[in-house]
Structures are given as C-alpha cells and as structure tokens.
Amino acid sequence: MSHPNLLTSTREPLDVELKIKEGKIPDDLSGFVFINSGAGTINSGGLPYERKLPNGEFNQEFGSPVINGDGYMYRFDFTEEGKVKLKTRLLKTPCFYADIASSPILNPNNPYADIAFKNRGLARMSMKLGTRNQINTAITPFRKAGDDHSRLLATFDAGRPFEFDPKSLDLITPIGENKFWRAGTPPFLNNPFPMVLTTAHPVYDPETKEVFSVNFTKTTRNLLSATEIFHLIFSSEEEIERRLEERISRWEQIDDKEQVVKEVNDFFYEEATEKETETIWDKIRGWYWKLIGRHFSNEDAVYLVQWTGAKNPKSYKIVNENGSNIQIQHNMHQIGFTKDYVLLADTNFKFTLDVMLNNPFPNNQRIDSFLRELLDGAQNDYSTLYIVHRKDLLPENKEVKAHKVVLPVETVHFSANYENPNGVVTLHAAHNCSACPAEWVRYYDECKLHNKPIDPQRVGMLAVGEMDIGKIGKIVIDVKNRDNLEDKTVFLHLEGKPGEKDPGPHTWGVGLYTYRDMLSPDKNVGEIKHIFWQAYGLDDQLLTDFMYRLYQDPKRNRVYSAEQMLDFTKKGAPFVLETVETDSMKATDHYSFPKDTFMWSLQFIPSKSKNNDIPESLNGYILCTVIGEEKNVHQTSSYFSEIWIFDASNLKKGPVTKLHHDELQFAFTIHSVWVEKAAEVSVPDYKIDIKQDYDEQIKHIKRRWLRKKVQSLMKDHVYPHFR
C-alpha cells in the first residue's frame, strides 16, 4: 500500500505472505534473509516523526535521524517454492521496556517521567538511566560448539550485542555481563544502561568457532566536547533556552571560534552546577572536574573481544607497536578477519558522543543550528587500520600489539579475503569520500543548489550529499614485511554520465555491498571474486548548505573540487546496483534504478541449483529493499515499499520479480544476512540473568532517591519480561 510520506515505517509484528507485483518468484531461491532496521521510538509508533504531538505540542522527536530508532527485524523465508513469507518483530531489550515505563508521552502522569529517555541526535538517552541499546544496525550469524544450526546476533555501535531466536525473533540474551563491558560515557555517570562503544559488525570465524568484537573508550578533550554539556543537555527548561538564546546573539558576532567555544563551555558548566542541590558527592565531583579541566575522562583504549560461548568473553588490550594506547578518532563501525589476522579499523562514521549529543534542543532551531556549527566537524580524509596477529591472542596475554596501516581514503565498510598467503592481506572496501553517514537532514536545512528549504520528505535522512566521488577499494597489504603494496592496490571511481536516465555504473555515493557467503556461519570465503555494490547517486535534496561548508576545503584528499561537485549534483544520478569483478576491478554489470527510487539494503541469495555456465559467485539472486515515488491521478506524490529480486548474473535486465504487501512499510533498512536455516535454538548456558545483571548496575547509583526509583522501575516494568 502506498503512503504519503517517504520515510514511513511500521512497528507492527507481521506474519504475511508477500504478493507479486511484477514478474515471477524464481524456483531456486533458498534459505532466509534477515534485515535489520530502525523503526521509530516507543512514542512515535513508527515513522515518520511527526512535527506535532496529538495534543498539539511540538514533538521533541521531530527531525530525528531515521537511524535513531528501535531495532525492527525482517525475516524473509524462501524455503517454500513460489512463495516468500515475511515475519517481522521489534527487538525488545531491557532498556526498551524501561523506555516505555518512563515515557511521559505514553503516560502523562508517569511517576518516572523525570528520568525518561529522549532523542539526542544519533542516540536516545536519559541522564539518569543511560543510553538506549537499539540493536538496529546489523546481524552476525554464528554457531557455538555442537550446534547444527545458526545462531544470530543483533548489533549496534553503542551497545553490546544480543542473541535472538531465528524463528521467533525474540531476544535470548545479551553477550557478556554489563560489568564485562567498559562504558564509553564518563565514569561518574554510573548509569544502569551504559553506552558501550563497540562495533556494529562483530565477526565470526566458522573454522575456529570464534566471535570477535571490540570495546573502546575515548578521552574527552579539545574544544567543546559533548561530555562537558551532559547536565544541560538533559535539562532543557525554557529558562535555560532563553538565557542561551540571549548569549548566542553576542557569540555570533565574535570571529574567534576558540573564544566562543570557551564561553559556551563555561555557560554549560555554570548552568549545570546551578541546577543541582549540592551534596558531598557534587562537591567532590566539582573539585575533580576543575582539577582535570572538567574532562571526566576515560582513557584512550581499544580492547579486542574474543568470545567462544563463555558467560563473559575474553578481552585483550590492543596497543601500538611502541606500546602506546590507540586513540580512536571516529568509531570502529567495522572490523574484519583473515586466517591469521584480526583487522580493526577507525572508520569514518562519527557515531560518537559529539554527533550523538549535538541536538540537545531539537525544538529550538536557533540553538540547535548554533551548537551544530560548534560541535560538528568534518571526518578525516583517511582511515586507520590496526592489524592484530591471531597467534598473539593467548590466554596469558593481557596486551597485544597491532601493526598500524593508514589508508589514504575514508572508509566505513570492508571485507577481507580469508586467505592471506605469505602474510598478504586483501581488503575490499567502500570509500565514502567527503560524504558523512553520521549527518542527517534537519528541518531547517537549506538546499545548497537552490538556496531554499530542503524537501521536508527528506528530513531525518542521512545527509550524505557527496562532496567528492566515492570509491571502491581493493587494498593489498604485506603485513609480514610492513609494506602497503601500492602496485596491487586499486581505488576504483567511476563517473558514469550524470544527468542521463541510465548513467551506467558509477561510484557516486558508494554504500552497502554483498557477495556470496558473506558472513556465512558455515564457511569462509578464501578469495572474494564478485562483489555487488550499491551507489546511491547524486541528489540535490541531500546536499545541504551545511554539508557543503563542512566538506568544501580544497586541502582535503579529493578528486573533484567543491565547485565541480555542485555541477555534478545539479545533473543528478540515480541509485545503481553494480557488479565488480575483483581480479580486474572492473564493473561488469549494472542496473540503474528509476528516478526518485531508493534502494537501501542488498543481499546475495545463493541458488539451490548448480549452474556450470556461470561462476559460483554469480549463481544466485540479489534481494533489495526499495522505496519509490509514484504520482497518482491528482498529481500528488505517494511512496511504496517493495522487495525487488535480481538475477545476480544479469542485473541489467532488471528485477525478475517485485514483491509487496499492504502492511509492508519501511523507511530505511540497513544491514542484512542470508542463512540456510532459521530454526528455533536452544537456551544457551551463557544466557545472562537480566535481574542480576542490572541490579549490579543499579547499586552503583550514588543518589539514594534515584537508586530507589530506578530499582522500582526495573522491578515492576522490566524484569517481568525476562523471567
């Protein structure tokens, strides 16, 4: 069923059979595809985030990024010939139930309303409760010893992974107790729901039965750090907004940004300390804050997490070759592995505190835009890779040294050939050059090309209007000899023919990708032969004035200047699905999507029939989630959510089938995985006792009144769901 908003998503549980809109469902489809997504909050009831609440008040969640939402899992079942069955469920973590219980929107007389969660940029947070673990990003299949079926993890960049049942989609257990994970927020907070900085892409090696993840912490220093405004961010009373607005008028006249930052920082600190009744703890905290320059700091540290099914994983501190701590600039969204190495990356996706919390006053355009200018910054125009030798991961080792490699382009996602002959590692990477997946379109943003407000249908979408052409990388590293093999490394960029209906294969906005046996729980891919890439094109409505100014610097490592990018964006280019043959690094096949059609997720589905006429890596299908615009008889726009399936060996002929259902509505889907079976799994012996796990957290809350309130909330509204 079409809907009037581009970003429309249901949160309802679905158990439906999809209907054929065009074409025929192939007979040789097999297995199950799982896709993760965010689907709004407990208050919104799905997407879009409406501007006004039912009572007419401005909605604090309006304008939130679409990736800030509860995890909503899709399971597509291809096991019955000629049919595609869909099952969906929300992923209900303990903090999900705490969110419901504390919401003043769902219950205006809620006794817990003063500790409720709120959207704060990329994160949903509460000063008293902590950070929502929305597990809405990716899926990692794995097996524990003795399993004859796959298990699945739902993952997130700012929370520990949770195992869920492949059949029911119900959560089973978090991985590792809370006390195992180091919180990414300042140590004094002691929240029951800590923000854990990890990776959305833990990996599993089916040969060794090991899951690898990371847990990193960062110091807060330099300029206006988000952790320095925690108190004010969570206390957005009208009086504070008024005072802040008065000062903004003067700050906007000061040319010295360092001076402005200092004054803003002082304002936040003074307001925060004035708000609270001072206790002995407050005095100690205030003294400590002043002593260290008001930086309630963790250390800069990276820990590699190795898990094989114990109650708590094993943790190794990863350090530079000179023994110094590793400092992560952005985040560790992606990690990888080969036969001999674990690959950790500082990826160019700013899913860290400065972006998570740079929207403290969403109701106030002037304050929000002013703080965004101060808090935000361009991503690095390079990435850093840390290579850990797996032979060093011995039980007696607490620290392990890593070899550092600097990649000369921005990188978010990558995979690696499992085989690494003679210590040579081959990466296949997506390079989002001068395009920022952590930014989103605000309701007050202006289109750079037209100098007028951005299309309201795109508010909340990722503001990845490119400021340079993206690239597809094949990176070859001789780890043993500490040598980056530049003669074998390729960074492919394809301009195509912008402005044409079918511009051909291009790399304007390189996004997600898939290939046969990607993330397989059964076998590793020794050498990746063909990769299917998404490029999301050139869209003038996603290139905001703010993004242009953020990435216009001519000193960045770039192919095209900012002025040239305006010309390319004016011409436009559609989404494309393309095949790259990795030996030659050439695009061998592609499909250009129609204008105003968005392709979000893509997943390879192997054919259950052998075909000796084509390579095994092409023998299958590509499933895509697609949103498109259509005009009705009244020439008004509406949008559809559909599933398109392509023959992987012949993309150019278009989808072999298009599927839909009246109840199927998604706004933005993210990562996916294919598994052969999705059976109900047994309760594992590493299952965490949720009550015991969170009671341990709650006892560290300093204020007695708050400790009692949180304990009451958990006892009455959270623990009953996890017996």
Side-chain angles (χ1 to χ4, degrees), residues 6-22:
L6 172 63
L7 300 179
T8 300
S9 178
T10 182
R11 291 163 60 90
E12 295 300 315
L14 302 180
D15 290 277
V16 298
E17 181 180 329
L18 298 186
K19 302 174 183 178
I20 298 174
K21 180 179 179 180
E22 292 181 15

mmCIF file with all atom_site columns, all heavy atoms in Angstrom, residues 6-22:
data_model
loop_
_atom_site.group_PDB
_atom_site.id
_atom_site.type_symbol
_atom_site.label_atom_id
_atom_site.label_alt_id
_atom_site.label_comp_id
_atom_site.label_asym_id
_atom_site.label_entity_id
_atom_site.label_seq_id
_atom_site.pdbx_PDB_ins_code
_atom_site.Cartn_x
_atom_site.Cartn_y
_atom_site.Cartn_z
_atom_site.occupancy
_atom_site.B_iso_or_equiv
_atom_site.pdbx_formal_charge
_atom_site.auth_seq_id
_atom_site.auth_comp_id
_atom_site.auth_asym_id
_atom_site.auth_atom_id
_atom_site.pdbx_PDB_model_num
ATOM 1   N N   . LEU A 1 6  ? 7.678  9.720   2.467   1.00 0.00 ? 6  LEU A N   1
ATOM 2   C CA  . LEU A 1 6  ? 8.803  8.921   2.019   1.00 0.00 ? 6  LEU A CA  1
ATOM 3   C C   . LEU A 1 6  ? 9.334  8.046   3.142   1.00 0.00 ? 6  LEU A C   1
ATOM 4   O O   . LEU A 1 6  ? 9.617  6.861   2.949   1.00 0.00 ? 6  LEU A O   1
ATOM 5   C CB  . LEU A 1 6  ? 9.912  9.852   1.491   1.00 0.00 ? 6  LEU A CB  1
ATOM 6   C CG  . LEU A 1 6  ? 11.254 9.214   1.152   1.00 0.00 ? 6  LEU A CG  1
ATOM 7   C CD1 . LEU A 1 6  ? 11.102 8.206   0.033   1.00 0.00 ? 6  LEU A CD1 1
ATOM 8   C CD2 . LEU A 1 6  ? 12.268 10.297  0.767   1.00 0.00 ? 6  LEU A CD2 1
ATOM 9   N N   . LEU A 1 7  ? 9.493  8.624   4.323   1.00 0.00 ? 7  LEU A N   1
ATOM 10  C CA  . LEU A 1 7  ? 10.062 7.891   5.453   1.00 0.00 ? 7  LEU A CA  1
ATOM 11  C C   . LEU A 1 7  ? 8.949  7.348   6.338   1.00 0.00 ? 7  LEU A C   1
ATOM 12  O O   . LEU A 1 7  ? 8.653  7.859   7.413   1.00 0.00 ? 7  LEU A O   1
ATOM 13  C CB  . LEU A 1 7  ? 10.996 8.807   6.248   1.00 0.00 ? 7  LEU A CB  1
ATOM 14  C CG  . LEU A 1 7  ? 12.172 9.376   5.452   1.00 0.00 ? 7  LEU A CG  1
ATOM 15  C CD1 . LEU A 1 7  ? 13.031 10.279  6.323   1.00 0.00 ? 7  LEU A CD1 1
ATOM 16  C CD2 . LEU A 1 7  ? 13.020 8.262   4.852   1.00 0.00 ? 7  LEU A CD2 1
ATOM 17  N N   . THR A 1 8  ? 8.308  6.297   5.878   1.00 0.00 ? 8  THR A N   1
ATOM 18  C CA  . THR A 1 8  ? 7.207  5.664   6.601   1.00 0.00 ? 8  THR A CA  1
ATOM 19  C C   . THR A 1 8  ? 7.610  4.259   7.012   1.00 0.00 ? 8  THR A C   1
ATOM 20  O O   . THR A 1 8  ? 8.127  3.497   6.194   1.00 0.00 ? 8  THR A O   1
ATOM 21  C CB  . THR A 1 8  ? 5.940  5.588   5.728   1.00 0.00 ? 8  THR A CB  1
ATOM 22  O OG1 . THR A 1 8  ? 5.549  6.911   5.344   1.00 0.00 ? 8  THR A OG1 1
ATOM 23  C CG2 . THR A 1 8  ? 4.798  4.929   6.474   1.00 0.00 ? 8  THR A CG2 1
ATOM 24  N N   . SER A 1 9  ? 7.420  3.946   8.269   1.00 0.00 ? 9  SER A N   1
ATOM 25  C CA  . SER A 1 9  ? 7.763  2.600   8.746   1.00 0.00 ? 9  SER A CA  1
ATOM 26  C C   . SER A 1 9  ? 6.763  2.144   9.787   1.00 0.00 ? 9  SER A C   1
ATOM 27  O O   . SER A 1 9  ? 6.369  2.907   10.660  1.00 0.00 ? 9  SER A O   1
ATOM 28  C CB  . SER A 1 9  ? 9.170  2.592   9.347   1.00 0.00 ? 9  SER A CB  1
ATOM 29  O OG  . SER A 1 9  ? 9.480  1.307   9.858   1.00 0.00 ? 9  SER A OG  1
ATOM 30  N N   . THR A 1 10 ? 6.364  0.897   9.669   1.00 0.00 ? 10 THR A N   1
ATOM 31  C CA  . THR A 1 10 ? 5.510  0.294   10.685  1.00 0.00 ? 10 THR A CA  1
ATOM 32  C C   . THR A 1 10 ? 6.380  -0.344  11.760  1.00 0.00 ? 10 THR A C   1
ATOM 33  O O   . THR A 1 10 ? 7.539  -0.677  11.526  1.00 0.00 ? 10 THR A O   1
ATOM 34  C CB  . THR A 1 10 ? 4.583  -0.767  10.073  1.00 0.00 ? 10 THR A CB  1
ATOM 35  O OG1 . THR A 1 10 ? 3.732  -1.286  11.098  1.00 0.00 ? 10 THR A OG1 1
ATOM 36  C CG2 . THR A 1 10 ? 5.375  -1.913  9.458   1.00 0.00 ? 10 THR A CG2 1
ATOM 37  N N   . ARG A 1 11 ? 5.819  -0.510  12.945  1.00 0.00 ? 11 ARG A N   1
ATOM 38  C CA  . ARG A 1 11 ? 6.449  -1.260  14.037  1.00 0.00 ? 11 ARG A CA  1
ATOM 39  C C   . ARG A 1 11 ? 5.618  -2.495  14.391  1.00 0.00 ? 11 ARG A C   1
ATOM 40  O O   . ARG A 1 11 ? 5.947  -3.229  15.316  1.00 0.00 ? 11 ARG A O   1
ATOM 41  C CB  . ARG A 1 11 ? 6.571  -0.381  15.288  1.00 0.00 ? 11 ARG A CB  1
ATOM 42  C CG  . ARG A 1 11 ? 7.554  0.741   15.164  1.00 0.00 ? 11 ARG A CG  1
ATOM 43  C CD  . ARG A 1 11 ? 7.331  1.793   16.249  1.00 0.00 ? 11 ARG A CD  1
ATOM 44  N NE  . ARG A 1 11 ? 7.453  1.323   17.608  1.00 0.00 ? 11 ARG A NE  1
ATOM 45  C CZ  . ARG A 1 11 ? 8.595  1.322   18.300  1.00 0.00 ? 11 ARG A CZ  1
ATOM 46  N NH1 . ARG A 1 11 ? 9.708  1.735   17.726  1.00 0.00 ? 11 ARG A NH1 1
ATOM 47  N NH2 . ARG A 1 11 ? 8.623  0.912   19.556  1.00 0.00 ? 11 ARG A NH2 1
ATOM 48  N N   . GLU A 1 12 ? 4.548  -2.701  13.646  1.00 0.00 ? 12 GLU A N   1
ATOM 49  C CA  . GLU A 1 12 ? 3.644  -3.803  13.959  1.00 0.00 ? 12 GLU A CA  1
ATOM 50  C C   . GLU A 1 12 ? 4.291  -5.144  13.628  1.00 0.00 ? 12 GLU A C   1
ATOM 51  O O   . GLU A 1 12 ? 5.032  -5.264  12.650  1.00 0.00 ? 12 GLU A O   1
ATOM 52  C CB  . GLU A 1 12 ? 2.345  -3.657  13.170  1.00 0.00 ? 12 GLU A CB  1
ATOM 53  C CG  . GLU A 1 12 ? 1.522  -2.442  13.548  1.00 0.00 ? 12 GLU A CG  1
ATOM 54  C CD  . GLU A 1 12 ? 1.102  -2.468  15.009  1.00 0.00 ? 12 GLU A CD  1
ATOM 55  O OE1 . GLU A 1 12 ? 0.655  -3.541  15.481  1.00 0.00 ? 12 GLU A OE1 1
ATOM 56  O OE2 . GLU A 1 12 ? 1.242  -1.434  15.690  1.00 0.00 ? 12 GLU A OE2 1
ATOM 57  N N   . PRO A 1 13 ? 4.016  -6.178  14.420  1.00 0.00 ? 13 PRO A N   1
ATOM 58  C CA  . PRO A 1 13 ? 4.503  -7.519  14.075  1.00 0.00 ? 13 PRO A CA  1
ATOM 59  C C   . PRO A 1 13 ? 3.765  -8.038  12.846  1.00 0.00 ? 13 PRO A C   1
ATOM 60  O O   . PRO A 1 13 ? 2.531  -7.986  12.786  1.00 0.00 ? 13 PRO A O   1
ATOM 61  C CB  . PRO A 1 13 ? 4.184  -8.343  15.320  1.00 0.00 ? 13 PRO A CB  1
ATOM 62  C CG  . PRO A 1 13 ? 3.045  -7.615  15.973  1.00 0.00 ? 13 PRO A CG  1
ATOM 63  C CD  . PRO A 1 13 ? 3.259  -6.164  15.682  1.00 0.00 ? 13 PRO A CD  1
ATOM 64  N N   . LEU A 1 14 ? 4.496  -8.516  11.871  1.00 0.00 ? 14 LEU A N   1
ATOM 65  C CA  . LEU A 1 14 ? 3.898  -9.013  10.641  1.00 0.00 ? 14 LEU A CA  1
ATOM 66  C C   . LEU A 1 14 ? 4.190  -10.499 10.478  1.00 0.00 ? 14 LEU A C   1
ATOM 67  O O   . LEU A 1 14 ? 5.297  -10.961 10.759  1.00 0.00 ? 14 LEU A O   1
ATOM 68  C CB  . LEU A 1 14 ? 4.442  -8.266  9.419   1.00 0.00 ? 14 LEU A CB  1
ATOM 69  C CG  . LEU A 1 14 ? 4.277  -6.746  9.370   1.00 0.00 ? 14 LEU A CG  1
ATOM 70  C CD1 . LEU A 1 14 ? 4.875  -6.199  8.077   1.00 0.00 ? 14 LEU A CD1 1
ATOM 71  C CD2 . LEU A 1 14 ? 2.815  -6.346  9.493   1.00 0.00 ? 14 LEU A CD2 1
ATOM 72  N N   . ASP A 1 15 ? 3.210  -11.227 10.009  1.00 0.00 ? 15 ASP A N   1
ATOM 73  C CA  . ASP A 1 15 ? 3.359  -12.617 9.584   1.00 0.00 ? 15 ASP A CA  1
ATOM 74  C C   . ASP A 1 15 ? 2.522  -12.752 8.321   1.00 0.00 ? 15 ASP A C   1
ATOM 75  O O   . ASP A 1 15 ? 1.333  -13.099 8.374   1.00 0.00 ? 15 ASP A O   1
ATOM 76  C CB  . ASP A 1 15 ? 2.872  -13.579 10.668  1.00 0.00 ? 15 ASP A CB  1
ATOM 77  C CG  . ASP A 1 15 ? 3.780  -13.595 11.884  1.00 0.00 ? 15 ASP A CG  1
ATOM 78  O OD1 . ASP A 1 15 ? 4.794  -14.312 11.846  1.00 0.00 ? 15 ASP A OD1 1
ATOM 79  O OD2 . ASP A 1 15 ? 3.472  -12.877 12.858  1.00 0.00 ? 15 ASP A OD2 1
ATOM 80  N N   . VAL A 1 16 ? 3.134  -12.453 7.176   1.00 0.00 ? 16 VAL A N   1
ATOM 81  C CA  . VAL A 1 16 ? 2.374  -12.348 5.934   1.00 0.00 ? 16 VAL A CA  1
ATOM 82  C C   . VAL A 1 16 ? 3.119  -13.039 4.799   1.00 0.00 ? 16 VAL A C   1
ATOM 83  O O   . VAL A 1 16 ? 4.329  -13.282 4.876   1.00 0.00 ? 16 VAL A O   1
ATOM 84  C CB  . VAL A 1 16 ? 2.137  -10.863 5.541   1.00 0.00 ? 16 VAL A CB  1
ATOM 85  C CG1 . VAL A 1 16 ? 1.325  -10.144 6.608   1.00 0.00 ? 16 VAL A CG1 1
ATOM 86  C CG2 . VAL A 1 16 ? 3.449  -10.138 5.288   1.00 0.00 ? 16 VAL A CG2 1
ATOM 87  N N   . GLU A 1 17 ? 2.394  -13.330 3.748   1.00 0.00 ? 17 GLU A N   1
ATOM 88  C CA  . GLU A 1 17 ? 2.994  -13.801 2.500   1.00 0.00 ? 17 GLU A CA  1
ATOM 89  C C   . GLU A 1 17 ? 2.991  -12.639 1.515   1.00 0.00 ? 17 GLU A C   1
ATOM 90  O O   . GLU A 1 17 ? 1.944  -12.018 1.285   1.00 0.00 ? 17 GLU A O   1
ATOM 91  C CB  . GLU A 1 17 ? 2.206  -14.978 1.932   1.00 0.00 ? 17 GLU A CB  1
ATOM 92  C CG  . GLU A 1 17 ? 2.801  -15.531 0.641   1.00 0.00 ? 17 GLU A CG  1
ATOM 93  C CD  . GLU A 1 17 ? 2.009  -16.706 0.083   1.00 0.00 ? 17 GLU A CD  1
ATOM 94  O OE1 . GLU A 1 17 ? 1.409  -17.454 0.891   1.00 0.00 ? 17 GLU A OE1 1
ATOM 95  O OE2 . GLU A 1 17 ? 1.992  -16.872 -1.157  1.00 0.00 ? 17 GLU A OE2 1
ATOM 96  N N   . LEU A 1 18 ? 4.150  -12.325 0.971   1.00 0.00 ? 18 LEU A N   1
ATOM 97  C CA  . LEU A 1 18 ? 4.241  -11.204 0.048   1.00 0.00 ? 18 LEU A CA  1
ATOM 98  C C   . LEU A 1 18 ? 3.520  -11.513 -1.261  1.00 0.00 ? 18 LEU A C   1
ATOM 99  O O   . LEU A 1 18 ? 3.431  -12.670 -1.688  1.00 0.00 ? 18 LEU A O   1
ATOM 100 C CB  . LEU A 1 18 ? 5.710  -10.864 -0.224  1.00 0.00 ? 18 LEU A CB  1
ATOM 101 C CG  . LEU A 1 18 ? 6.537  -10.414 0.987   1.00 0.00 ? 18 LEU A CG  1
ATOM 102 C CD1 . LEU A 1 18 ? 7.927  -9.982  0.546   1.00 0.00 ? 18 LEU A CD1 1
ATOM 103 C CD2 . LEU A 1 18 ? 5.848  -9.280  1.745   1.00 0.00 ? 18 LEU A CD2 1
ATOM 104 N N   . LYS A 1 19 ? 3.030  -10.448 -1.876  1.00 0.00 ? 19 LYS A N   1
ATOM 105 C CA  . LYS A 1 19 ? 2.294  -10.578 -3.132  1.00 0.00 ? 19 LYS A CA  1
ATOM 106 C C   . LYS A 1 19 ? 3.189  -10.169 -4.302  1.00 0.00 ? 19 LYS A C   1
ATOM 107 O O   . LYS A 1 19 ? 4.051  -9.306  -4.170  1.00 0.00 ? 19 LYS A O   1
ATOM 108 C CB  . LYS A 1 19 ? 1.052  -9.687  -3.096  1.00 0.00 ? 19 LYS A CB  1
ATOM 109 C CG  . LYS A 1 19 ? 0.108  -10.000 -1.948  1.00 0.00 ? 19 LYS A CG  1
ATOM 110 C CD  . LYS A 1 19 ? -1.029 -8.977  -1.882  1.00 0.00 ? 19 LYS A CD  1
ATOM 111 C CE  . LYS A 1 19 ? -1.946 -9.229  -0.695  1.00 0.00 ? 19 LYS A CE  1
ATOM 112 N NZ  . LYS A 1 19 ? -3.019 -8.200  -0.597  1.00 0.00 ? 19 LYS A NZ  1
ATOM 113 N N   . ILE A 1 20 ? 2.965  -10.795 -5.429  1.00 0.00 ? 20 ILE A N   1
ATOM 114 C CA  . ILE A 1 20 ? 3.739  -10.478 -6.623  1.00 0.00 ? 20 ILE A CA  1
ATOM 115 C C   . ILE A 1 20 ? 3.137  -9.257  -7.312  1.00 0.00 ? 20 ILE A C   1
ATOM 116 O O   . ILE A 1 20 ? 1.948  -9.237  -7.642  1.00 0.00 ? 20 ILE A O   1
ATOM 117 C CB  . ILE A 1 20 ? 3.767  -11.663 -7.602  1.00 0.00 ? 20 ILE A CB  1
ATOM 118 C CG1 . ILE A 1 20 ? 4.455  -12.867 -6.951  1.00 0.00 ? 20 ILE A CG1 1
ATOM 119 C CG2 . ILE A 1 20 ? 4.484  -11.275 -8.902  1.00 0.00 ? 20 ILE A CG2 1
ATOM 120 C CD1 . ILE A 1 20 ? 4.414  -14.131 -7.794  1.00 0.00 ? 20 ILE A CD1 1
ATOM 121 N N   . LYS A 1 21 ? 3.954  -8.246  -7.497  1.00 0.00 ? 21 LYS A N   1
ATOM 122 C CA  . LYS A 1 21 ? 3.527  -7.063  -8.242  1.00 0.00 ? 21 LYS A CA  1
ATOM 123 C C   . LYS A 1 21 ? 3.902  -7.205  -9.712  1.00 0.00 ? 21 LYS A C   1
ATOM 124 O O   . LYS A 1 21 ? 3.133  -6.860  -10.603 1.00 0.00 ? 21 LYS A O   1
ATOM 125 C CB  . LYS A 1 21 ? 4.169  -5.809  -7.656  1.00 0.00 ? 21 LYS A CB  1
ATOM 126 C CG  . LYS A 1 21 ? 3.769  -4.528  -8.369  1.00 0.00 ? 21 LYS A CG  1
ATOM 127 C CD  . LYS A 1 21 ? 4.431  -3.308  -7.720  1.00 0.00 ? 21 LYS A CD  1
ATOM 128 C CE  . LYS A 1 21 ? 4.047  -2.024  -8.451  1.00 0.00 ? 21 LYS A CE  1
ATOM 129 N NZ  . LYS A 1 21 ? 4.681  -0.829  -7.834  1.00 0.00 ? 21 LYS A NZ  1
ATOM 130 N N   . GLU A 1 22 ? 5.116  -7.706  -9.951  1.00 0.00 ? 22 GLU A N   1
ATOM 131 C CA  . GLU A 1 22 ? 5.593  -7.940  -11.317 1.00 0.00 ? 22 GLU A CA  1
ATOM 132 C C   . GLU A 1 22 ? 6.469  -9.178  -11.325 1.00 0.00 ? 22 GLU A C   1
ATOM 133 O O   . GLU A 1 22 ? 7.112  -9.501  -10.323 1.00 0.00 ? 22 GLU A O   1
ATOM 134 C CB  . GLU A 1 22 ? 6.425  -6.753  -11.837 1.00 0.00 ? 22 GLU A CB  1
ATOM 135 C CG  . GLU A 1 22 ? 5.654  -5.481  -12.077 1.00 0.00 ? 22 GLU A CG  1
ATOM 136 C CD  . GLU A 1 22 ? 6.549  -4.367  -12.623 1.00 0.00 ? 22 GLU A CD  1
ATOM 137 O OE1 . GLU A 1 22 ? 7.673  -4.672  -13.080 1.00 0.00 ? 22 GLU A OE1 1
ATOM 138 O OE2 . GLU A 1 22 ? 6.135  -3.198  -12.564 1.00 0.00 ? 22 GLU A OE2 1
#
